[in-house]
Amino acid sequence: MHTPQNPSAERGSGWALTVLTLCAFTLGTGEIMIAGLLPEIADDAGVSLSTAGLLVSSFALTVVIGGPVLALTTGRARRRRLLIALMLTYVLGNVISAVAPSFWLLATGRIVAALAHSALMPLFFGIAADVVPPDKRGMAVARVSLGFSLAMIAGLPIGTALGQWLSWHATFWAIAALTLAATVPVAALAPDTPGISEAEDQGRLRELRVLGDRRVQVVTGITALAAASFTAYTYVTPLLTDTVGFGESTVTVLLLLFGIGGTVGNLIGGRLTDRSVLGAIALSVAALAVSLLLLGASTGVKVVAVAFLFLFGAAYYAVIPAVNTRLLNVDSRQARTLALTVQSSAFNLGTALGGWLGGRVIAEGAGLRWLPVVGSLVALAALLLAVGEVRGERRRTAAREPAVHSVPTPSAPAPVAGEQASRSTH
């Protein structure tokens, strides 16, 4: 039985989780704030809106490639030194973006920041798990994840407002300053110990075999497609101003509303996942496809468009706990150390695809109102994968159950209980 922590230890872990949540908030804001600044950056840099959207794609692709590479190559580095180096690299990337005199130097700064971002979140989650008792690690990781929700609710609208009030350069300076301020306290939390042993480091390469697991491939495919449907959000500011007809000051409030929808959806998605992981994936992706389609169809009516913007946020963030849980369920016994990295790469690969796809739609002359419709079609592809996986899982479960019709026995009800137990594990 676990001995309860004393009050001072609980206060210490509470402070540690607060610092880590702030770090996650900073990284999350630095990643998504670009969505609210694209029109200003495009005008200032003299590039098209679709070209400015490449800032989203380049960031995401860097995380896709950099995450797994850094996860496999930095395993033996001392944790504190690695954390400080990555935090300072994130600062450097945002400073480069803040002072960039050209679009391509700005893109370079985003790539540098993305490289650090790809390795920092797994470190934050690891520290969070270490500062609490084993039976509270789930809560600790969830607490750190809250930083991303706060980034959507508060960081994005504040960053957008700051960029509109001063300039988009000021937003990058703010992220750099906040990251620098968080570096000292979070470094104090990181253990000044070596990483894994040489034998463990060599063993990690064998974990790559898990990528050949069909279930891993399916869930990462669903994740990437769901993230690609986020193409509508990449260009949400011009969509709301140029197509729906809202003023720039109102957009900040609407971004806040989207973030609130995302928080609500995350909570609902978590509850649905506890009941049925695959069912939650299928239901949330279906809601995502429908909400995007209706958003595109309602851009001429402000109130209705706002309602579907809220539902879009709720549906998108309901997908996240479901796909994460599915990946951990099928992956935890084989390659847990790569699970979060693979999932993060899938999300960012989808984000890059969505940013590119949205840019192509705009470049071809289609109106911004078509972006949610295109996102809906991508979400529909994810839904087809999810439905196929649900049916496949049912067939596999049925095949594992003993035949009960050949010889009737008094214990005939047993398969029902087995079916319930099987469902509870997926």
Side-chain angles (χ1 to χ4, degrees):
M1 180 180 297
H2 172 68
T3 303
Q5 283 186 295
N6 58 54
S8 61
E10 290 182 355
R11 286 193 297 270
S13 63
W15 162 249
L17 293 178
T18 299
V19 171
L20 293 168
T21 302
L22 173 63
C23 290
F25 169 80
T26 303
L27 263 64
T29 302
E31 178 180 3
I32 66 176
M33 68 179 184
I34 202 72
L37 303 173
L38 280 184
E40 289 79 6
I41 290 175
D43 290 342
D44 196 20
V47 299
S48 66
L49 190 61
S50 60
T51 300
L54 293 176
L55 294 173
V56 177
S57 300
S58 61
F59 191 100
L61 284 175
T62 302
V63 175
V64 170
I65 299 171
V69 171
L70 289 176
L72 292 171
T73 58
T74 62
R76 300 184 64 190
R78 299 187 74 87
R79 299 296 89 184
R80 183 175 295 171
R81 294 178 185 177
L82 177 62
L83 181 66
I84 294 174
L86 290 171
M87 292 289 281
L88 294 180
T89 301
Y90 196 69
V91 172
L92 175 63
N94 281 281
V95 170
I96 292 174
S97 297
V99 302
S102 68
F103 175 79
W104 298 111
L105 187 58
L106 169 59
T108 300
R110 292 291 289 169
I111 291 173
V112 172
L115 187 62
H117 183 288
S118 68
L120 277 170
M121 282 312 302
L123 284 175
F124 293 158
F125 286 132
I127 295 172
D130 289 340
V131 298
V132 297
D135 61 334
K136 293 186 177 181
R137 285 178 177 173
M139 175 277 298
V141 172
R143 171 82 174 271
V144 177
S145 299
L146 179 63
F148 278 102
S149 296
L150 294 176
M152 182 64 71
I153 293 175
L156 177 58
I158 291 174
T160 302
L162 181 63
Q164 293 172 350
W165 177 40
L166 297 176
S167 74
W168 59 266
H169 301 274
T171 307
F172 284 104
W173 279 118
I175 293 297
L178 190 58
T179 305
L180 192 60
T183 298
V184 173
V186 76
L189 298 175
D192 189 22
T193 57
I196 59 178
S197 66
E198 182 177 358
E200 289 173 326
D201 192 29
Q202 294 174 350
R204 290 172 68 134
L205 295 177
R206 293 192 294 270
E207 293 177 357
L208 292 174
R209 292 180 299 182
V210 76
L211 300 181
D213 189 315
R214 182 200 54 77
R215 297 169 302 171
V216 173
Q217 294 169 353
V218 170
V219 71
T220 52
I222 293 172
T223 300
L225 288 171
S229 71
F230 211 51
T231 180
Y233 194 76
T234 300
Y235 301 94
V236 67
T237 297
L239 175 67
L240 293 173
T241 55
D242 299 346
T243 304
V244 183
F246 287 106
E248 288 188 351
S249 59
T250 307
V251 169
T252 301
V253 178
L254 295 178
L255 294 178
L256 175 61
L257 180 67
F258 180 91
I260 294 173
T263 302
V264 172
N266 193 274
L267 294 174
I268 294 175
R271 290 184 178 274
L272 292 175
T273 301
D274 285 341
R275 296 182 180 182
S276 170
V277 176
L278 288 177
I281 292 175
L283 184 59
S284 57
V285 171
L288 180 60
V290 171
S291 63
L292 281 168
L293 180 62
L294 295 177
L295 175 61
S298 63
T299 53
V301 184
K302 289 184 178 181
V303 175
V304 179
V306 168
F308 288 126
L309 179 69
F310 178 88
L311 292 177
F312 168 34
Y316 181 79
Y317 280 90
V319 176
I320 295 176
V323 293
N324 280 337
T325 301
R326 174 62 175 174
L327 182 64
L328 289 173
N329 283 352
V330 303
D331 195 34
S332 59
R333 289 184 296 275
Q334 302 176 66
R336 180 176 291 274
T337 57
L338 280 180
L340 289 173
T341 302
V342 168
Q343 193 70 328
S344 176
S345 293
F347 269 114
N348 283 277
L349 179 62
T351 301
L353 174 62
W356 173 85
L357 185 60
R360 291 300 88 208
V361 171
I362 295 173
E364 291 298 324
L368 289 167
R369 66 183 298 270
W370 287 101
L371 291 177
V373 177
V374 172
S376 176
L377 295 176
V378 177
L380 182 60
L383 178 60
L384 293 176
L385 276 179
V387 170
E389 186 68 356
V390 170
R391 291 179 176 177
E393 194 73 12
R394 287 175 179 173
R395 288 194 298 268
R396 289 188 291 272
T397 300
R400 288 194 298 265
E401 292 177 352
V404 295
H405 300 295
S406 55
V407 181
T409 65
S411 59
V416 176
E419 181 184 357
Q420 292 173 344
S422 176
R423 281 198 296 264
S424 69
T425 61
H426 295 292

